Amino acid sequence: LPLCFPEKLWKMLESGKFQSIWWTEGGKCVAINKDLFEMEVLGREVCQQVFNTRHIESVIRQLNLYGFTKVQQDFQRSASLPEFLAEEAAASAHSQILYYYNPSFNRAHPWLLGTCKRR
C-alpha cells in the first residue's frame, strides 16, 4: 500500500537525507525551508518524487488537511542598535522557514502517527 502524506513526511524527517525539512522544538514541530524544499524535494525527477506535486502550496494544503497548524517563531529583540539590526537580518532569513505543528505528529511518540487522519 502507498504511504499516506503524514507517513511520507515522517519518513523524510527520520531519514536524515533532506536538508530542507527537520524536527524542531524537541520533535514537536516540523520546520521547512521553503526555497530549499522546492529545489531538493519538489524539483526531483518523476521517478524519485516523494510527493505527487511540484508545488509547495500543494504540500501546505496537505499539511492543513491533516490537521497541521502554522506556528510563528518568536525572536527576542536586543536593545542595542547593532545587535537589533543583526537579529533583524537573521529573522528575515528565517522568514523562508515554515513551522508546522500537529499534536499527533510528535517524534517522541511515533505511535500517534496512526491518529493523523485527513479531515
Side-chain angles (χ1 to χ4, degrees):
L1 290 173
L3 298 176
C4 68
F5 178 81
E7 292 169 334
K8 288 180 185 180
L9 195 62
W10 186 280
K11 282 191 165 293
M12 286 181 68
L13 288 160
E14 291 297 304
S15 75
K17 295 179 183 175
F18 300 94
Q19 295 178 1
S20 59
I21 186 168
W22 62 94
W23 291 106
T24 65
E25 305 293 325
K28 294 180 182 175
C29 289
V30 175
I32 301 170
N33 180 315
K34 185 179 170 192
D35 291 342
L36 186 56
F37 189 85
E38 287 176 324
M39 289 186 324
E40 181 183 51
V41 178
L42 303 178
R44 292 177 143 215
E45 296 293 322
V46 174
C47 61
Q48 294 180 330
Q49 279 184 338
V50 178
F51 303 111
N52 294 330
T53 184
R54 293 197 174 273
H55 305 283
I56 189 73
E57 295 81 10
S58 297
V59 174
I60 292 170
R61 191 174 310 113
Q62 287 293 312
L63 286 164
N64 292 325
L65 280 172
Y66 279 93
F68 287 81
T69 54
K70 190 172 182 181
V71 179
Q72 298 297 326
Q73 292 295 94
D74 294 325
F75 297 99
Q76 295 292 338
R77 300 291 190 233
S78 176
S80 80
L81 182 60
E83 288 178 23
F84 177 81
L85 293 174
E87 290 165 358
E88 282 298 304
S92 70
H94 279 286
S95 67
Q96 285 298 318
I97 300 176
L98 309 172
Y99 298 92
Y100 284 91
Y101 169 78
N102 181 326
S104 297
F105 198 85
N106 186 315
R107 188 178 198 179
H109 307 291
W111 57 88
L112 291 176
L113 187 58
T115 64
C116 265
K117 300 291 182 196
R118 190 176 174 136
R119 292 181 182 173

mmCIF file of all heavy atoms in Angstrom, residues 59-96:
data_model
loop_
_atom_site.group_PDB
_atom_site.id
_atom_site.type_symbol
_atom_site.label_atom_id
_atom_site.label_comp_id
_atom_site.label_asym_id
_atom_site.label_seq_id
_atom_site.Cartn_x
_atom_site.Cartn_y
_atom_site.Cartn_z
ATOM 1 N N VAL A 59 1.736 21.015 -0.922
ATOM 2 C CA VAL A 59 2.244 20.386 0.295
ATOM 3 C C VAL A 59 1.634 21.069 1.509
ATOM 4 O O VAL A 59 1.194 20.404 2.456
ATOM 5 C CB VAL A 59 3.789 20.432 0.338
ATOM 6 C CG1 VAL A 59 4.319 19.916 1.665
ATOM 7 C CG2 VAL A 59 4.377 19.642 -0.823
ATOM 8 N N ILE A 60 1.559 22.394 1.485
ATOM 9 C CA ILE A 60 0.951 23.154 2.592
ATOM 10 C C ILE A 60 -0.524 22.789 2.728
ATOM 11 O O ILE A 60 -1.036 22.629 3.838
ATOM 12 C CB ILE A 60 1.163 24.664 2.387
ATOM 13 C CG1 ILE A 60 2.656 24.991 2.547
ATOM 14 C CG2 ILE A 60 0.315 25.475 3.355
ATOM 15 C CD1 ILE A 60 3.045 26.388 2.130
ATOM 16 N N ARG A 61 -1.211 22.623 1.611
ATOM 17 C CA ARG A 61 -2.625 22.217 1.640
ATOM 18 C C ARG A 61 -2.769 20.851 2.317
ATOM 19 O O ARG A 61 -3.660 20.640 3.134
ATOM 20 C CB ARG A 61 -3.185 22.176 0.213
ATOM 21 C CG ARG A 61 -4.691 22.039 0.153
ATOM 22 C CD ARG A 61 -5.253 22.136 -1.269
ATOM 23 N NE ARG A 61 -4.774 23.295 -2.006
ATOM 24 C CZ ARG A 61 -3.968 23.237 -3.075
ATOM 25 N NH1 ARG A 61 -3.548 22.073 -3.541
ATOM 26 N NH2 ARG A 61 -3.573 24.329 -3.691
ATOM 27 N N GLN A 62 -1.861 19.918 2.008
ATOM 28 C CA GLN A 62 -1.889 18.599 2.636
ATOM 29 C C GLN A 62 -1.634 18.705 4.139
ATOM 30 O O GLN A 62 -2.290 18.033 4.941
ATOM 31 C CB GLN A 62 -0.844 17.676 2.003
ATOM 32 C CG GLN A 62 -1.201 17.203 0.610
ATOM 33 C CD GLN A 62 -2.408 16.293 0.617
ATOM 34 O OE1 GLN A 62 -2.511 15.364 1.402
ATOM 35 N NE2 GLN A 62 -3.347 16.570 -0.272
ATOM 36 N N LEU A 63 -0.675 19.546 4.526
ATOM 37 C CA LEU A 63 -0.418 19.759 5.955
ATOM 38 C C LEU A 63 -1.702 20.217 6.654
ATOM 39 O O LEU A 63 -2.071 19.697 7.702
ATOM 40 C CB LEU A 63 0.694 20.800 6.153
ATOM 41 C CG LEU A 63 2.119 20.336 5.854
ATOM 42 C CD1 LEU A 63 3.058 21.520 5.710
ATOM 43 C CD2 LEU A 63 2.621 19.388 6.934
ATOM 44 N N ASN A 64 -2.370 21.183 6.046
ATOM 45 C CA ASN A 64 -3.615 21.699 6.629
ATOM 46 C C ASN A 64 -4.706 20.634 6.674
ATOM 47 O O ASN A 64 -5.432 20.529 7.663
ATOM 48 C CB ASN A 64 -4.089 22.937 5.868
ATOM 49 C CG ASN A 64 -3.169 24.122 6.070
ATOM 50 O OD1 ASN A 64 -2.598 24.311 7.143
ATOM 51 N ND2 ASN A 64 -3.003 24.925 5.037
ATOM 52 N N LEU A 65 -4.819 19.834 5.613
ATOM 53 C CA LEU A 65 -5.834 18.777 5.568
ATOM 54 C C LEU A 65 -5.623 17.728 6.663
ATOM 55 O O LEU A 65 -6.575 17.130 7.140
ATOM 56 C CB LEU A 65 -5.829 18.079 4.207
ATOM 57 C CG LEU A 65 -6.554 18.787 3.071
ATOM 58 C CD1 LEU A 65 -6.286 18.074 1.751
ATOM 59 C CD2 LEU A 65 -8.045 18.828 3.342
ATOM 60 N N TYR A 66 -4.367 17.516 7.055
ATOM 61 C CA TYR A 66 -4.058 16.525 8.085
ATOM 62 C C TYR A 66 -3.933 17.151 9.478
ATOM 63 O O TYR A 66 -3.409 16.527 10.385
ATOM 64 C CB TYR A 66 -2.790 15.747 7.723
ATOM 65 C CG TYR A 66 -3.071 14.642 6.731
ATOM 66 C CD1 TYR A 66 -2.940 14.843 5.366
ATOM 67 C CD2 TYR A 66 -3.512 13.389 7.165
ATOM 68 C CE1 TYR A 66 -3.221 13.826 4.459
ATOM 69 C CE2 TYR A 66 -3.785 12.370 6.269
ATOM 70 C CZ TYR A 66 -3.635 12.596 4.915
ATOM 71 O OH TYR A 66 -3.914 11.590 4.022
ATOM 72 N N GLY A 67 -4.434 18.359 9.646
ATOM 73 C CA GLY A 67 -4.521 18.967 10.971
ATOM 74 C C GLY A 67 -3.282 19.690 11.462
ATOM 75 O O GLY A 67 -3.198 20.034 12.642
ATOM 76 N N PHE A 68 -2.323 19.955 10.591
ATOM 77 C CA PHE A 68 -1.158 20.739 10.989
ATOM 78 C C PHE A 68 -1.537 22.214 11.005
ATOM 79 O O PHE A 68 -2.308 22.671 10.170
ATOM 80 C CB PHE A 68 0.004 20.536 10.003
ATOM 81 C CG PHE A 68 0.680 19.207 10.118
ATOM 82 C CD1 PHE A 68 0.130 18.072 9.526
ATOM 83 C CD2 PHE A 68 1.862 19.077 10.819
ATOM 84 C CE1 PHE A 68 0.758 16.840 9.621
ATOM 85 C CE2 PHE A 68 2.498 17.843 10.925
ATOM 86 C CZ PHE A 68 1.937 16.724 10.328
ATOM 87 N N THR A 69 -1.005 22.945 11.956
ATOM 88 C CA THR A 69 -1.230 24.391 12.009
ATOM 89 C C THR A 69 0.111 25.094 11.912
ATOM 90 O O THR A 69 1.125 24.626 12.452
ATOM 91 C CB THR A 69 -1.945 24.815 13.303
ATOM 92 O OG1 THR A 69 -1.212 24.322 14.423
ATOM 93 C CG2 THR A 69 -3.362 24.283 13.351
ATOM 94 N N LYS A 70 0.105 26.233 11.231
ATOM 95 C CA LYS A 70 1.324 27.013 11.081
ATOM 96 C C LYS A 70 1.635 27.690 12.408
ATOM 97 O O LYS A 70 0.755 28.216 13.070
ATOM 98 C CB LYS A 70 1.158 28.055 9.975
ATOM 99 C CG LYS A 70 2.446 28.730 9.601
ATOM 100 C CD LYS A 70 2.269 29.596 8.385
ATOM 101 C CE LYS A 70 3.605 30.207 8.012
ATOM 102 N NZ LYS A 70 3.481 31.078 6.848
ATOM 103 N N VAL A 71 2.908 27.654 12.787
ATOM 104 C CA VAL A 71 3.355 28.228 14.051
ATOM 105 C C VAL A 71 4.324 29.356 13.748
ATOM 106 O O VAL A 71 5.192 29.218 12.882
ATOM 107 C CB VAL A 71 4.065 27.154 14.914
ATOM 108 C CG1 VAL A 71 4.552 27.736 16.226
ATOM 109 C CG2 VAL A 71 3.156 25.964 15.149
ATOM 110 N N GLN A 72 4.176 30.475 14.445
ATOM 111 C CA GLN A 72 5.110 31.591 14.306
ATOM 112 C C GLN A 72 6.232 31.423 15.323
ATOM 113 O O GLN A 72 5.961 31.141 16.484
ATOM 114 C CB GLN A 72 4.403 32.932 14.542
ATOM 115 C CG GLN A 72 3.303 33.223 13.545
ATOM 116 C CD GLN A 72 3.807 33.358 12.120
ATOM 117 O OE1 GLN A 72 4.904 33.838 11.873
ATOM 118 N NE2 GLN A 72 3.002 32.914 11.171
ATOM 119 N N GLN A 73 7.454 31.598 14.881
ATOM 120 C CA GLN A 73 8.588 31.551 15.801
ATOM 121 C C GLN A 73 8.818 32.966 16.326
ATOM 122 O O GLN A 73 8.924 33.907 15.545
ATOM 123 C CB GLN A 73 9.844 31.040 15.106
ATOM 124 C CG GLN A 73 9.772 29.585 14.717
ATOM 125 C CD GLN A 73 9.694 28.672 15.922
ATOM 126 O OE1 GLN A 73 8.623 28.286 16.350
ATOM 127 N NE2 GLN A 73 10.823 28.328 16.463
ATOM 128 N N ASP A 74 8.875 33.130 17.626
ATOM 129 C CA ASP A 74 9.119 34.435 18.238
ATOM 130 C C ASP A 74 10.608 34.609 18.519
ATOM 131 O O ASP A 74 11.248 33.714 19.059
ATOM 132 C CB ASP A 74 8.339 34.571 19.545
ATOM 133 C CG ASP A 74 6.841 34.590 19.304
ATOM 134 O OD1 ASP A 74 6.423 35.138 18.272
ATOM 135 O OD2 ASP A 74 6.110 34.040 20.141
ATOM 136 N N PHE A 75 11.124 35.760 18.145
ATOM 137 C CA PHE A 75 12.516 36.066 18.388
ATOM 138 C C PHE A 75 12.607 37.206 19.389
ATOM 139 O O PHE A 75 11.921 38.218 19.242
ATOM 140 C CB PHE A 75 13.219 36.478 17.085
ATOM 141 C CG PHE A 75 13.253 35.382 16.064
ATOM 142 C CD1 PHE A 75 12.324 35.354 15.037
ATOM 143 C CD2 PHE A 75 14.205 34.374 16.130
ATOM 144 C CE1 PHE A 75 12.344 34.333 14.099
ATOM 145 C CE2 PHE A 75 14.230 33.362 15.190
ATOM 146 C CZ PHE A 75 13.302 33.335 14.172
ATOM 147 N N GLN A 76 13.454 37.065 20.401
ATOM 148 C CA GLN A 76 13.696 38.139 21.354
ATOM 149 C C GLN A 76 14.576 39.180 20.668
ATOM 150 O O GLN A 76 15.553 38.848 20.026
ATOM 151 C CB GLN A 76 14.405 37.600 22.606
ATOM 152 C CG GLN A 76 13.582 36.621 23.407
ATOM 153 C CD GLN A 76 12.380 37.282 24.067
ATOM 154 O OE1 GLN A 76 12.359 38.481 24.282
ATOM 155 N NE2 GLN A 76 11.380 36.487 24.360
ATOM 156 N N ARG A 77 14.226 40.445 20.824
ATOM 157 C CA ARG A 77 14.990 41.528 20.203
ATOM 158 C C ARG A 77 15.899 42.204 21.224
ATOM 159 O O ARG A 77 15.516 42.409 22.365
ATOM 160 C CB ARG A 77 14.043 42.577 19.599
ATOM 161 C CG ARG A 77 13.129 42.012 18.528
ATOM 162 C CD ARG A 77 13.939 41.649 17.297
ATOM 163 N NE ARG A 77 13.043 41.339 16.198
ATOM 164 C CZ ARG A 77 13.114 40.224 15.504
ATOM 165 N NH1 ARG A 77 13.989 39.320 15.792
ATOM 166 N NH2 ARG A 77 12.293 40.017 14.507
ATOM 167 N N SER A 78 17.086 42.563 20.758
ATOM 168 C CA SER A 78 18.067 43.222 21.624
ATOM 169 C C SER A 78 17.780 44.722 21.678
ATOM 170 O O SER A 78 17.192 45.300 20.766
ATOM 171 C CB SER A 78 19.462 42.976 21.067
ATOM 172 O OG SER A 78 20.414 43.659 21.825
ATOM 173 N N ALA A 79 18.257 45.358 22.737
ATOM 174 C CA ALA A 79 18.057 46.795 22.903
ATOM 175 C C ALA A 79 19.098 47.603 22.128
ATOM 176 O O ALA A 79 18.834 48.743 21.754
ATOM 177 C CB ALA A 79 18.122 47.167 24.384
ATOM 178 N N SER A 80 20.290 47.055 21.883
ATOM 179 C CA SER A 80 21.324 47.833 21.185
ATOM 180 C C SER A 80 21.088 47.775 19.673
ATOM 181 O O SER A 80 20.734 46.736 19.121
ATOM 182 C CB SER A 80 22.715 47.319 21.523
ATOM 183 O OG SER A 80 23.021 46.171 20.772
ATOM 184 N N LEU A 81 21.290 48.900 19.010
ATOM 185 C CA LEU A 81 21.011 49.015 17.579
ATOM 186 C C LEU A 81 21.808 48.026 16.726
ATOM 187 O O LEU A 81 21.210 47.326 15.899
ATOM 188 C CB LEU A 81 21.233 50.453 17.094
ATOM 189 C CG LEU A 81 20.914 50.695 15.614
ATOM 190 C CD1 LEU A 81 19.445 50.367 15.329
ATOM 191 C CD2 LEU A 81 21.219 52.122 15.234
ATOM 192 N N PRO A 82 23.131 47.893 16.885
ATOM 193 C CA PRO A 82 23.857 46.929 16.032
ATOM 194 C C PRO A 82 23.361 45.492 16.211
ATOM 195 O O PRO A 82 23.190 44.764 15.232
ATOM 196 C CB PRO A 82 25.312 47.057 16.493
ATOM 197 C CG PRO A 82 25.397 48.386 17.160
ATOM 198 C CD PRO A 82 24.043 48.656 17.734
ATOM 199 N N GLU A 83 23.103 45.095 17.452
ATOM 200 C CA GLU A 83 22.599 43.740 17.694
ATOM 201 C C GLU A 83 21.197 43.578 17.120
ATOM 202 O O GLU A 83 20.871 42.548 16.540
ATOM 203 C CB GLU A 83 22.607 43.435 19.192
ATOM 204 C CG GLU A 83 23.991 43.228 19.761
ATOM 205 C CD GLU A 83 23.974 42.986 21.255
ATOM 206 O OE1 GLU A 83 22.933 42.554 21.792
ATOM 207 O OE2 GLU A 83 25.010 43.236 21.901
ATOM 208 N N PHE A 84 20.362 44.613 17.277
ATOM 209 C CA PHE A 84 18.999 44.583 16.743
ATOM 210 C C PHE A 84 19.033 44.395 15.228
ATOM 211 O O PHE A 84 18.288 43.573 14.678
ATOM 212 C CB PHE A 84 18.253 45.874 17.112
ATOM 213 C CG PHE A 84 16.870 45.950 16.534
ATOM 214 C CD1 PHE A 84 15.819 45.289 17.152
ATOM 215 C CD2 PHE A 84 16.618 46.663 15.377
ATOM 216 C CE1 PHE A 84 14.533 45.344 16.628
ATOM 217 C CE2 PHE A 84 15.342 46.720 14.844
ATOM 218 C CZ PHE A 84 14.297 46.069 15.470
ATOM 219 N N LEU A 85 19.888 45.153 14.534
ATOM 220 C CA LEU A 85 19.979 45.049 13.068
ATOM 221 C C LEU A 85 20.459 43.661 12.636
ATOM 222 O O LEU A 85 19.955 43.100 11.669
ATOM 223 C CB LEU A 85 20.904 46.136 12.516
ATOM 224 C CG LEU A 85 20.377 47.568 12.672
ATOM 225 C CD1 LEU A 85 21.430 48.563 12.224
ATOM 226 C CD2 LEU A 85 19.084 47.767 11.911
ATOM 227 N N ALA A 86 21.411 43.098 13.369
ATOM 228 C CA ALA A 86 21.889 41.744 13.060
ATOM 229 C C ALA A 86 20.773 40.724 13.276
ATOM 230 O O ALA A 86 20.599 39.792 12.471
ATOM 231 C CB ALA A 86 23.097 41.403 13.926
ATOM 232 N N GLU A 87 19.994 40.911 14.349
ATOM 233 C CA GLU A 87 18.874 39.998 14.629
ATOM 234 C C GLU A 87 17.793 40.116 13.567
ATOM 235 O O GLU A 87 17.187 39.116 13.177
ATOM 236 C CB GLU A 87 18.298 40.292 16.014
ATOM 237 C CG GLU A 87 19.240 39.888 17.139
ATOM 238 C CD GLU A 87 18.863 40.486 18.481
ATOM 239 O OE1 GLU A 87 17.882 41.244 18.549
ATOM 240 O OE2 GLU A 87 19.569 40.205 19.463
ATOM 241 N N GLU A 88 17.548 41.337 13.075
ATOM 242 C CA GLU A 88 16.557 41.535 12.011
ATOM 243 C C GLU A 88 16.990 40.812 10.732
ATOM 244 O O GLU A 88 16.161 40.211 10.056
ATOM 245 C CB GLU A 88 16.361 43.034 11.720
ATOM 246 C CG GLU A 88 15.492 43.733 12.742
ATOM 247 C CD GLU A 88 14.084 43.176 12.790
ATOM 248 O OE1 GLU A 88 13.396 43.143 11.744
ATOM 249 O OE2 GLU A 88 13.656 42.755 13.874
ATOM 250 N N ALA A 89 18.277 40.880 10.409
ATOM 251 C CA ALA A 89 18.786 40.186 9.214
ATOM 252 C C ALA A 89 18.600 38.681 9.365
ATOM 253 O O ALA A 89 18.180 37.996 8.425
ATOM 254 C CB ALA A 89 20.256 40.526 8.997
ATOM 255 N N ALA A 90 18.875 38.161 10.553
ATOM 256 C CA ALA A 90 18.694 36.722 10.799
ATOM 257 C C ALA A 90 17.224 36.346 10.719
ATOM 258 O O ALA A 90 16.865 35.307 10.169
ATOM 259 C CB ALA A 90 19.266 36.341 12.158
ATOM 260 N N ALA A 91 16.342 37.208 11.246
ATOM 261 C CA ALA A 91 14.900 36.930 11.219
ATOM 262 C C ALA A 91 14.379 36.913 9.794
ATOM 263 O O ALA A 91 13.514 36.102 9.456
ATOM 264 C CB ALA A 91 14.150 37.954 12.062
ATOM 265 N N SER A 92 14.896 37.794 8.923
ATOM 266 C CA SER A 92 14.423 37.799 7.537
ATOM 267 C C SER A 92 14.854 36.516 6.829
ATOM 268 O O SER A 92 14.145 36.003 5.981
ATOM 269 C CB SER A 92 14.898 39.032 6.789
ATOM 270 O OG SER A 92 16.285 38.971 6.573
ATOM 271 N N ALA A 93 16.012 35.974 7.190
ATOM 272 C CA ALA A 93 16.440 34.690 6.632
ATOM 273 C C ALA A 93 15.505 33.585 7.113
ATOM 274 O O ALA A 93 15.207 32.645 6.383
ATOM 275 C CB ALA A 93 17.876 34.382 7.039
ATOM 276 N N HIS A 94 15.017 33.717 8.344
ATOM 277 C CA HIS A 94 14.090 32.730 8.896
ATOM 278 C C HIS A 94 12.692 32.836 8.288
ATOM 279 O O HIS A 94 11.892 31.923 8.448
ATOM 280 C CB HIS A 94 13.991 32.883 10.419
ATOM 281 C CG HIS A 94 15.104 32.225 11.150
ATOM 282 N ND1 HIS A 94 15.201 30.862 11.288
ATOM 283 C CD2 HIS A 94 16.195 32.742 11.758
ATOM 284 C CE1 HIS A 94 16.298 30.569 11.951
ATOM 285 N NE2 HIS A 94 16.918 31.686 12.254
ATOM 286 N N SER A 95 12.391 33.938 7.595
ATOM 287 C CA SER A 95 11.048 34.085 7.022
ATOM 288 C C SER A 95 10.786 33.045 5.941
ATOM 289 O O SER A 95 9.645 32.770 5.608
ATOM 290 C CB SER A 95 10.840 35.497 6.476
ATOM 291 O OG SER A 95 11.675 35.706 5.359
ATOM 292 N N GLN A 96 11.840 32.456 5.374
ATOM 293 C CA GLN A 96 11.679 31.390 4.387
ATOM 294 C C GLN A 96 11.434 30.045 5.062
ATOM 295 O O GLN A 96 11.218 29.054 4.392
ATOM 296 C CB GLN A 96 12.920 31.304 3.500
ATOM 297 C CG GLN A 96 12.995 32.400 2.485
ATOM 298 C CD GLN A 96 11.828 32.362 1.505
ATOM 299 O OE1 GLN A 96 11.418 31.303 1.043
ATOM 300 N NE2 GLN A 96 11.276 33.510 1.208
#
